[in-house]
Amino acid sequence: MKFAIDRDVFLGVLKCVDGVCPPKGSFVSLACCHIEATNNKIVVTGTDLELTLRIVEQATVMEEGKAIIPSHQLLEIVQSQPGGAQVLISTEGTSTIITSGNFKSRLSSMDIFEYPQIQNLDAETCLKVSALEFKKLINKTRFCISKDSTRQEFTGVSMRVSQNGCVQMASTDGHRLSCVETTATICGTLSSRLEKGIILPQKALNEFTKFITDGGDIEFGVDSAEKKILVRMGNMTYFATRIEGEFPDFSKVIPPRFDHKAIISREAFLQILNRASIFTNRNLNTVKLVLSSGRVEISAYDQTRGEMNDYIDADYEGAGVTAGFNQSYVADILKVIDGDYISFEIIDMDSPVLIRDTSCDKYDFIVMPMQL
């Protein structure tokens, strides 16, 4: 194998692929990237067996072939070269030679047969969605993903697509819930698995957000065995193994109505919660919230840390309502809301609260109350 490629282009490819490859461990081959040079292009693949990334990039190919090269070492070498340089990659037996200007290095390569066989999942594209909108949905849901591995269905984000092109994504850790929506274009027949719902793992979501940097569309598909989802944008294709299990029907925890609703400045509310965190118990992180006419009062108390009381103005008229909440759960929601004002809707101190962006009705956030 022998090919030449622009250093900056190759560096971008290697950064993406290296993010998928696990650190060198018991499976040495997984710490490597698979490079195939053919027809004046290279196909670079990285995998941890659960998530696979394949990138196709133009290159000047002198000799077609394949090589298995340590991913992070190759990345460091290419990164050390000056911007705009040409990089020449060639193989000699079990060695890979990297040349650029006066620079020349040699890396030990692995036997091509030691790399895991990656099935070519050319699933039919059945969905197209705005890349930037998809990134926004990920950022508004992944903070709610559970860290409890005993509830596998909570360790990812649920994605469900209806026949009219409505894409709903949701996540929960049992204490809070994020549910967001957008619209997409259905191409051909909608996959029954997508319609029923799939659960995307957190690592896949984190990697997706890295390569979404500008406009365009993302294409989705599900393989025939319904085990993997295909995500494609431009010259990049991810194959992610979906999390087994069914996401719970969260509609049952959302009350059909809320008796009390306050309109609050998002930034002012976030600032007061940040101040309250100084005085909360580190294990429970509880703050007391009181809705009263024209204001929201926040207080926090801990036997060793002290206490605080503060308030902000709010658009609220009605009976007073008192409830306790985890400070960080509410603050995390306020951080992913884009608008200047939020609606804070509640029934009583024993019921969940609904938080919404007043400028957009496609994002719902639920927080469960805490005992005061």
Side-chain angles (χ1 to χ4, degrees):
M1 181 185 74
K2 187 175 183 180
F3 66 89
I5 188 170
D6 180 82
R7 174 263 188 193
D8 300 332
V9 172
F10 198 32
L11 180 61
V13 171
L14 294 175
K15 282 183 176 179
C16 293
V17 171
D18 190 61
V20 174
C21 298
K24 189 174 181 180
S26 55
F27 296 99
V28 179
S29 61
L30 295 183
C32 298
C33 60
H34 180 288
I35 301 180
E36 180 178 6
T38 179
N39 295 328
N40 280 328
K41 65 181 181 182
I42 57 170
V43 182
V44 186
T45 302
T47 186
D48 65 0
L49 300 182
E50 295 296 320
L51 178 65
T52 299
L53 171 61
R54 183 170 292 157
I55 304 179
V56 180
E57 192 58 76
Q58 297 296 311
T60 303
V61 177
M62 297 83 160
E63 295 179 15
E64 295 187 351
K66 302 176 183 179
I68 309 299
I69 307 172
S71 175
H72 198 66
Q73 282 183 275
L74 181 59
L75 170 62
E76 289 182 321
I77 292 171
V78 174
Q79 196 166 25
S80 70
Q81 304 307 308
Q86 281 286 305
V87 177
L88 180 66
I89 307 292
S90 60
T91 55
E92 292 180 1
T94 58
S95 295
T96 298
I97 301 168
I98 302 103
T99 305
S100 181
N102 298 326
F103 173 85
K104 185 175 182 179
S105 65
R106 182 183 296 267
L107 285 178
S108 295
S109 304
M110 296 190 65
D111 191 297
I112 195 72
F113 297 106
E114 295 185 54
Y115 200 73
Q117 293 295 312
I118 306 298
Q119 185 181 0
N120 189 21
L121 300 174
D122 288 326
E124 280 190 37
T125 299
C126 63
L127 186 72
K128 286 187 178 181
V129 62
S130 161
L132 293 179
E133 184 67 14
F134 184 59
K135 184 175 183 177
K136 182 184 294 186
L137 297 192
I138 292 174
N139 289 333
K140 293 182 186 299
T141 52
R142 61 178 172 177
F143 72 95
C144 276
I145 293 175
S146 175
K147 296 178 175 63
D148 183 3
S149 59
T150 62
R151 298 293 303 274
Q152 192 177 24
E153 66 273 20
F154 287 177
T155 61
V157 171
S158 168
M159 177 178 172
R160 182 176 298 164
V161 185
S162 63
Q163 287 289 345
N164 64 359
C166 177
V167 178
Q168 180 191 75
M169 294 177 67
S171 63
T172 183
D173 58 8
H175 304 288
R176 53 188 170 170
L177 165 75
S178 171
C179 180
V180 297
E181 293 183 355
T182 191
T183 55
T185 301
I186 298 175
C187 309
T189 303
L190 177 65
S191 161
S192 60
R193 185 68 251 182
L194 276 176
E195 191 171 9
K196 186 177 181 180
I198 60 173
I199 305 176
L200 293 171
Q202 186 170 19
K203 180 177 179 178
L205 296 171
N206 292 341
E207 291 302 319
F208 294 162
T209 59
K210 291 179 183 179
F211 77 81
I212 299 175
T213 56
D214 51 23
D217 290 332
I218 286 181
E219 302 175 354
F220 285 87
V222 178
D223 75 309
S224 58
E226 297 188 338
K227 297 293 184 182
K228 292 183 181 291
I229 181 170
L230 173 150
V231 181
R232 179 185 294 122
M233 182 177 179
N235 64 340
M236 308 175 71
T237 303
Y238 279 94
F239 302 105
T241 301
R242 70 179 181 88
I243 295 175
E244 295 289 344
E246 300 297 329
F247 200 75
D249 182 6
F250 54 82
S251 62
K252 296 178 181 178
V253 304
I254 303 178
R257 64 177 180 80
F258 292 86
D259 298 333
H260 308 280
K261 179 179 179 179
I263 305 299
I264 310 169
S265 164
R266 183 192 66 83
E267 184 61 31
F269 196 12
L270 181 57
Q271 288 180 3
I272 200 172
L273 286 173
N274 288 338
R275 290 194 290 270
S277 69
I278 301 171
F279 299 91
T280 58
N281 179 283
R282 285 294 179 259
N283 294 322
L284 300 176
N285 212 19
T286 307
V287 295
K288 178 182 177 181
L289 181 146
V290 179
L291 286 181
S292 58
S293 182
R295 65 196 289 178
V296 177
E297 300 175 37
I298 298 289
S299 60
Y301 168 78
D302 180 69
Q303 187 173 5
T304 60
R305 302 178 69 83
E307 63 179 318
M308 65 81 71
N309 293 276
D310 203 347
Y311 75 90
I312 51 174
D313 295 333
D315 182 1
Y316 176 74
E317 296 293 337
V321 183
T322 300
F325 296 97
N326 183 300
Q327 176 271 339
S328 63
Y329 289 170
V330 179
D332 286 346
I333 291 171
L334 299 182
K335 291 174 185 176
V336 300
I337 288 178
D338 302 316
D340 294 330
Y341 291 90
I342 61 108
S343 65
F344 192 91
E345 303 179 42
I346 190 172
I347 300 174
D348 54 40
M349 66 184 301
D350 298 316
S351 303
V353 63
L354 172 65
I355 300 175
R356 283 178 167 162
D357 184 341
T358 59
S359 65
C360 181
D361 61 359
K362 293 183 178 181
Y363 312 135
D364 290 345
F365 304 97
I366 294 287
V367 180
M368 302 303 291
M370 297 185 71
Q371 292 293 324
L372 290 171

